[in-house]
Amino acid sequence: MNQDLAVERIMQTGLLSCDRHTPLDVAAARMAERRCSSMLVMENDEPVGIWTEHDCLYLDFADPGALRQPIGDLMIESIATIAADASLGEAAVRFAAENRHHFLVVDEAETPLGILSRSDAVLNQGLESYLRLREVRHAMCKTPLVLPGTLTLGELASRMRFTHNDAAVITQPGQALGIITERDLVRFVAAHPGRVSVGELATRPLLSVAPGDTLIHARDQLIANRVRHLAVLDESEQVVGLLGFREMLDGNEQFYIEDLRQALAQRDQALSQSRFNLELAERVIDASLEGIIITDAQTHIEFVNPAFTHMTGYRPEEVIGRTPALLSSGRHEADFYERMWHSLKSNGYWRGEIWNRRKNGQLYLELLTVTAIRDEAGETTNYAALFSDITHIRENEEQVRRLAYYDALTRLPNRRLLEDRLSLSMRHAHRNRRRLAVIFIDLDHFKQVNDSLGHAIGDELLLQVSQRLGARLREDDTLARLGGDEFIALLPDLDEPSEATHIAGRLIAAISEPFKIDGHEFRVGGSLGISFYPDDAATIDDLMRNADAAMYRAKQEGRNTYRLFNSKTHVQENHHLAMESALRDTAETGEGLDVHYQPIFDTRTGALRGAEALLRWHHPRFGHVAPVDFIPVAERSGLILPLGRRLIRKVAGQQQRWLAAGRSVVPVAVNLSAKQFWQNDLPARLAAILSEHELPPGLIDVELTESTLLDESQQATHILQALRELGCGVAIDDFGTGYSSLRYLQDLPVTALKIDRSFVARMQTAHGSRAIVAAVSGLAHELGLKVVAEGVENASQLAELKQYPVHCVQGFHLGMPVSADVFAHEWLGSA
């Protein structure tokens, strides 16, 4: 839109003027001839008014004399001026606000230059976009003045004046619609038509448009036909409106006012948003945890935020006008700053880590971003720097790294770092054809220190041990802590294995020295295992595993010593480990376990007096495993407890089945290990099993070794008495092979002694064995105890035993251990 167009560009030049005494009809004739809508009225060469077409509405057309009056007596519109340089938009607003049809255009000296009409504004305001978008119905006069053709001009003028219309549609039967406008009235004033009806004076045909036509189409018709008004006809050819330049301008004024209102609203919103953004930016800068510095192009500080003061200690008044060099730490060389400025000039920014110094002199590490601020010409006007203190972040990262690679207590390398160094050392040893050694170190009796003196002293002990071990190693050696009381020493670049054993001896000596911690003085030992690369292993895992195996053997063979890895021993230990694992599975499931029964006979009569239950194990991998092989494994691993419980339950179940089958059952003895016997709930557990299987008393006996009873005979008495109350016989197995105390025989409620097979086997060749058999059997006879001789392998041994008070015998000569079915078939008759 051409709202900014100056009115002097579009005004009517060549002013039509007349003296105020000029007769009205003469003036009207001049206006009609010139087709002007207005005339400037002068008096003494000064404008006194404007005569317009609209003024004709106030004439009395019925009086011919009235048309001859001086124009100065009849002009109505006063002069309203507008500056020549005023904008077209301003003129349009004034037309609407002042309800005028014309303005006198004057220069700065108030000299008349021309007249601006509403039509001029419509034709020059650049309304094409508006007129194309709007339809006729939106701008037309919706209450058009429609009058019959029988009215007189006076009546017509009065009606037009009263209704504020500048044109009227004239209807007359049998004729097309006509129109009379204010310009027509000027023409009538000049022609003196007299008392002619308006139907005869109306201009025909009346041009028309539809309500849905665009305003641009209507405007083009007005211009092309040199008319000022168009009738708006609906589909039934009824007049529903009248459209002229005034309606277009009024609609455009509303459009312009709305556009101006929106523009002002947008401006206010933009200003409000800009103010909000500015305030928000200030709050963000003030609340930012990052320090902010803004300098001019010469790097003189112009602004700093509160975070800058918090981090550096400098207040704004202390740094404004100075350069950031006052923060320099002195830790960076000149080329560091040269690279920074080169990046700033080349890329417009620099980002990196830099050491600076606070006001109190403390150094800190900051992450700094500097950006060059440029104007429209590309010249740098300011520099903006944002920084944050990352000293603690780097310290935390270092702490995380230490936690990842170092033991928290001793600060020694942990397994992860050890494996990294071991891998590097192995590659170096391979390249240089050298040896390296791994020493696995485990403290002896460390658990006792922890349990008796507390974990705090235990931790201090580990710390002192680590210090002693580190002091005994070479400079290039590595000492690591795996956890608990386990350490690893890595010894690279060895010429001979003896170097490792020499160092191992030094380590043992260091650990063996007494410790004094919080008033406590004590000693601990260390068991060490050594493996070599490439002699014993080619991988990290195998090397450490072999050293661990050698350390375990050192513990088994006396502790506080070292052992070298031995592949043969390792194979045996692996075999035992595999057997232990298999035995553990068997103890849980019971698969592969069976019970064999060896009969016990009366020495004199040969009658069956009982049986000994012997556990047998068959495994898919190991086959039939002898008790002498798996019982020690079970004892060492603690599996003897679940295996013993299974044995008792199997024997009780078998006794129950034999009774149900009508067999003449005999007591069956089960061997109890020391761990089983000293279980607090042994009598209660056995009573529950007997009750569960509904066994009468006297069908299950127990056998114990001497060593089980000697250490705590008083406590053993209570347990044995409880077993006796259940009806169980109690036999001392392998009697005479250990340290025997005859006192406990009279104190403990035992029922039988079993003479070890070693004495029976040597009776015929060793006088001492016969004497032992005679002494044991005689002693038992005097104490009222039953005597059972084991290991009777031949008839001569049986005949020899009959010379002594031996009640029962068992052995391969009399009966082999057999399965339950075979035992019942051969030895158990019907009840």
Side-chain angles (χ1 to χ4, degrees):
M1 297 178 68
N2 298 328
Q3 300 291 342
D4 296 330
L5 190 66
V7 297
E8 63 180 341
R9 301 273 304 275
I10 61 172
M11 67 182 182
Q12 301 172 22
T13 57
L15 280 172
L16 180 62
S17 62
C18 66
D19 187 84
R20 65 171 299 145
H21 301 292
T22 303
L24 180 59
D25 56 349
V26 176
R30 294 176 63 185
M31 287 176 62
E33 180 183 357
R34 293 277 299 273
R35 301 180 66 87
C36 292
S37 62
S38 60
M39 176 180 287
L40 185 63
V41 180
M42 307 289 290
E43 184 175 15
N44 299 326
D45 294 328
E46 293 291 334
V48 294
I50 296 178
W51 170 263
T52 68
E53 296 170 341
H54 183 69
D55 294 335
C56 293
L57 297 178
Y58 296 91
L59 296 177
D60 184 4
F61 284 92
D63 180 10
L67 303 181
R68 299 288 301 174
Q69 297 180 71
I71 194 171
D73 296 340
L74 299 172
M75 65 181 182
I76 296 175
E77 185 171 346
S78 61
I79 295 178
T81 63
I82 189 170
D85 58 356
S87 67
L88 183 55
E90 180 184 345
V93 172
R94 287 187 62 186
F95 276 130
E98 300 175 21
N99 193 27
R100 291 184 178 276
H101 292 74
H102 299 82
F103 283 111
L104 178 62
V105 182
V106 297
D107 59 14
E108 294 179 356
E110 296 295 323
T111 303
L113 301 177
I115 292 179
L116 180 71
S117 68
R118 283 196 176 195
S119 299
D120 297 327
V122 172
L123 294 175
N124 295 278
Q125 202 171 357
L127 302 178
E128 283 77 6
S129 60
Y130 161 72
L131 297 176
R132 283 189 175 89
L133 295 174
R134 306 277 285 181
E135 295 179 351
V136 168
R137 72 176 86 251
H138 298 133
M140 68 183 185
C141 172
K142 295 179 180 172
T143 55
L145 184 61
V146 181
L147 299 174
T150 58
L151 296 178
T152 65
L153 278 175
E155 294 171 331
L156 171 70
S158 176
R159 298 283 290 276
M160 289 175 65
R161 184 176 68 252
F162 181 76
T163 59
H164 303 289
N165 281 288
D166 59 357
V169 177
I170 305 302
T171 62
Q172 196 164 359
Q175 294 191 29
L177 293 175
I179 189 170
I180 292 179
T181 68
E182 291 178 345
R183 176 162 291 187
D184 293 329
L185 294 180
V186 173
R187 180 166 50 86
F188 297 154
V189 169
H192 300 283
R195 298 184 61 83
V196 180
S197 66
V198 295
E200 299 177 45
L201 299 174
T203 302
R204 295 186 177 86
L206 175 59
L207 300 179
S208 65
V209 291
D213 290 342
T214 61
L215 289 178
I216 191 69
H217 170 69
R219 189 204 67 172
D220 292 344
Q221 282 209 57
L222 290 172
I223 294 175
N225 293 282
R226 300 179 65 83
V227 296
R228 292 189 175 187
H229 296 85
L230 297 171
V232 183
L233 305 181
D234 61 13
E235 295 178 353
S236 60
E237 298 295 320
Q238 296 297 314
V239 179
V240 294
L242 199 64
L243 180 68
F245 286 121
R246 186 179 73 176
E247 286 75 24
M248 290 184 184
L249 184 61
D250 289 343
N252 176 61
E253 289 165 358
Q254 182 64 32
F255 177 76
Y256 172 72
I257 292 172
E258 181 63 27
D259 188 45
L260 182 61
R261 183 182 297 112
Q262 291 181 0
L264 291 173
Q266 290 175 357
R267 183 203 63 182
D268 292 343
Q269 183 178 3
L271 289 174
S272 176
Q273 185 66 38
S274 177
R275 188 183 306 109
F276 172 78
N277 290 341
L278 184 59
E279 293 175 353
L280 179 61
E282 291 177 352
R283 290 196 297 269
V284 169
I285 290 174
D286 287 344
S288 174
L289 298 179
E290 289 188 317
I292 299 176
I293 307 173
I294 298 177
T295 74
D296 60 15
Q298 288 72 41
T299 72
H300 294 105
I301 297 175
E302 296 180 338
F303 171 84
V304 295
N305 70 337
F308 169 89
T309 300
H310 176 73
M311 279 188 272
T312 67
Y314 287 101
R315 297 188 303 276
E317 60 269 19
E318 294 178 300
V319 297
I320 299 298
R322 303 180 66 180
T323 69
L326 86 160
L327 301 174
S328 177
S329 65
R331 296 186 62 171
H332 299 287
E333 301 294 338
D335 61 343
F336 173 85
Y337 297 101
E338 289 177 2
R339 290 194 300 271
M340 176 193 295
W341 283 107
H342 176 75
S343 176
L344 268 172
K345 293 177 180 178
S346 302
N347 306 320
Y349 70 93
W350 180 87
R351 181 179 177 83
E353 296 179 4
I354 184 172
W355 285 96
N356 272 338
R357 192 179 300 275
R358 307 184 206 275
K359 183 179 178 180
N360 62 8
Q362 181 185 16
L363 290 175
Y364 68 98
L365 182 65
E366 68 181 28
L367 179 62
L368 174 65
T369 301
V370 184
T371 304
I373 309 300
R374 296 188 171 96
D375 58 16
E376 295 179 355
E379 297 295 327
T380 299
T381 59
N382 298 89
Y383 293 100
L386 282 78
F387 66 93
S388 56
D389 186 348
I390 61 172
T391 309
H392 294 301
I393 295 177
R394 288 293 176 266
E395 290 175 350
N396 291 339
E397 289 175 353
E398 177 62 22
Q399 179 67 16
V400 170
R401 190 187 72 83
R402 292 199 62 84
L403 290 175
Y405 289 100
Y406 292 88
D407 175 59
L409 175 63
T410 63
R411 306 299 182 186
L412 294 176
N414 60 13
R415 179 186 289 271
R416 184 176 180 182
L417 182 55
L418 171 68
E419 290 179 351
D420 288 345
R421 293 186 180 180
L422 184 53
S423 175
L424 182 64
S425 297
M426 289 173 67
R427 290 197 297 269
H428 181 76
H430 176 74
R431 184 167 57 252
N432 297 308
R433 300 182 181 275
R434 302 291 295 273
R435 282 190 179 90
L436 65 83
V438 168
I439 303 180
F440 201 108
I441 307 165
D442 186 272
L443 301 185
D444 298 330
H445 311 300
F446 175 74
K447 186 175 183 302
Q448 295 178 9
V449 175
N450 253 351
D451 294 344
S452 60
L453 301 181
H455 290 280
I457 291 182
D459 289 346
E460 180 61 26
L461 171 62
L462 292 174
L463 190 58
Q464 291 190 19
V465 167
S466 67
Q467 294 169 353
R468 290 187 185 183
L469 294 177
R472 300 305 197 279
L473 293 175
R474 302 172 305 172
E475 184 177 357
D476 293 336
D477 297 339
T478 294
L479 178 65
R481 183 187 177 208
L482 298 187
D485 60 340
E486 294 179 339
F487 297 85
I488 288 280
L490 167 61
L491 313 180
D493 292 327
L494 297 178
D495 294 321
E496 296 295 335
S498 59
E499 295 181 60
T501 58
H502 178 67
I503 294 175
R506 296 206 314 246
L507 297 179
I508 293 173
I511 298 173
S512 301
E513 295 175 3
F515 291 90
K516 294 181 180 180
I517 303 175
D518 290 347
H520 300 281
E521 183 173 350
F522 54 87
R523 293 176 182 267
V524 295
S527 297
L528 282 61
I530 307 173
S531 65
F532 293 95
Y533 172 87
D535 306 69
D536 298 327
T539 67
I540 293 175
D541 290 341
D542 290 344
L543 198 60
M544 295 179 65
R545 189 182 302 112
N546 292 345
D548 187 13
M551 180 277 298
Y552 185 74
R553 189 155 53 86
K555 279 190 176 295
Q556 288 181 320
E557 297 178 4
R559 298 178 183 270
N560 204 34
T561 186
Y562 68 84
R563 289 291 182 267
L564 301 178
F565 174 75
N566 184 292
S567 58
K568 280 188 178 181
T569 305
H570 187 57
V571 170
Q572 293 176 356
E573 291 175 349
N574 284 343
H575 177 76
H576 290 160
L577 182 62
M579 181 180 292
E580 178 182 330
S581 178
L583 191 60
R584 191 176 302 278
D585 294 337
T586 299
E588 292 180 0
T589 63
E591 296 181 3
L593 286 179
D594 196 11
V595 180
H596 281 201
Y597 298 86
Q598 186 174 30
I600 301 174
F601 298 97
D602 188 287
T603 306
R604 306 300 176 186
T605 65
L608 182 68
R609 297 301 182 191
E612 181 179 357
L614 302 171
L615 195 60
R616 296 292 183 262
W617 179 36
H618 180 271
H619 187 265
R621 174 183 172 186
F622 300 109
H624 291 283
V625 185
V628 70
D629 292 328
F630 75 82
I631 291 299
V633 175
E635 289 276 6
R636 186 173 63 247
S637 62
L639 295 174
I640 195 66
L641 294 176
L643 290 176
R645 288 192 291 268
R646 284 194 176 275
L647 173 62
I648 295 174
R649 189 170 290 279
K650 281 181 174 290
V651 170
Q654 187 59 62
Q655 291 279 53
Q656 183 186 40
R657 287 189 293 274
W658 282 336
L659 286 172
R663 297 289 187 179
S664 299
V665 297
V666 294
V668 176
V670 295
N671 290 278
L672 295 181
S673 70
K675 291 182 179 179
Q676 284 179 280
F677 180 76
W678 290 112
Q679 291 289 302
N680 293 330
D681 60 347
L682 174 63
R685 189 185 296 273
L686 185 56
I689 293 175
L690 294 175
S691 175
E692 177 186 344
H693 294 87
E694 299 178 347
L695 295 181
L699 291 186
I700 294 183
D701 295 337
V702 296
E703 294 184 3
L704 303 165
T705 62
E706 291 179 276
S707 58
T708 302
L709 303 174
L710 287 177
D711 293 337
E712 301 180 63
S713 59
Q714 187 173 0
Q715 291 86 340
T717 300
H718 300 293
I719 300 175
L720 292 175
Q721 188 61 44
L723 295 177
R724 295 287 288 117
E725 290 174 359
L726 294 174
C728 299
V730 179
I732 305 300
D733 195 15
D734 300 334
F735 186 79
T737 57
Y739 172 76
S740 298
S741 173
L742 300 180
R743 183 180 61 81
Y744 79 88
L745 290 179
Q746 64 179 1
D747 295 335
L748 296 178
V750 297
T751 60
L753 295 180
K754 298 191 74 172
I755 300 174
D756 187 69
R757 66 181 63 247
S758 62
F759 300 123
V760 175
R762 298 173 61 188
M763 281 177 54
Q764 296 174 317
T765 59
H767 175 75
S769 294
R770 288 195 302 271
I772 292 174
V773 172
V776 171
S777 60
L779 176 64
H781 179 73
E782 292 297 327
L783 292 174
L785 302 177
K786 184 171 67 174
V787 178
V788 180
E790 296 181 294
V792 179
E793 306 291 342
N794 51 57
S796 60
Q797 291 175 344
L798 178 59
E800 188 79 23
L801 287 171
K802 287 181 179 182
Q803 300 177 25
Y804 306 105
V806 175
H807 301 91
C808 297
V809 290
Q810 73 179 93
F812 291 167
H813 174 65
L814 302 170
M816 301 283 291
V818 294
S819 65
D821 292 341
V822 174
F823 182 82
H825 175 72
E826 292 187 0
W827 309 113
L828 295 182
S830 300

